[in-house]
Structure formats: C-alpha cells, structure tokens
Amino acid sequence: MEATIGDKICIHGNVVGHADRYGEIVEVHGDKGEPPYLVRFDDGHTGLVFPGPDAVIEHPDR
C-alpha cells in the first residue's frame, strides 16, 4: 500500500452497524509512501493508522 500527503483513505466498517470512516492523509511515516499514516478523519479526529485489508487509498491528484 502506498500513499502521499493529500490522498484520501476509507476504512470500511468490518462489524455490522459500524460505519465506514473517511479521512485525509496528512503525514506519511513509512519509506516510499508506506504506512503508518497520520490521518485527519472527517469527524475532526486525527490518528496514526496502520491500514489493514479493510482500507482503500484514493489518489485524487493522480
């Protein structure tokens, strides 16, 4: 998985009743765009994310 600053991330809810979470990648801590990522989620929360198989990176500028 590779990302750059400004890419969007969607983490799909993996339990019934849990909504998908959306955010913007504001920092990339791994080499060559690899995780972990600092993400600012739509609800204003910011957190360090190690995305799993339920995550999708969207590259709007590519």
Side-chain angles (χ1 to χ4, degrees):
M1 182 172 286
E2 291 183 24
T4 59
I5 294 172
D7 285 351
K8 305 292 183 185
I9 187 168
C10 173
I11 302 173
H12 298 289
N14 56 5
V15 176
V16 173
H18 286 198
D20 293 350
R21 297 180 65 200
Y22 298 92
E24 178 181 355
I25 296 173
V26 294
E27 291 181 11
V28 177
H29 291 268
D31 296 332
K32 301 177 187 171
E34 299 166 349
Y37 307 124
L38 186 66
V39 176
R40 182 181 313 115
F41 290 97
D42 290 347
D43 65 359
H45 171 80
T46 301
L48 194 60
V49 174
F50 294 81
D54 55 344
V56 177
I57 303 290
E58 299 173 0
H59 311 281
D61 295 337
R62 293 186 194 175

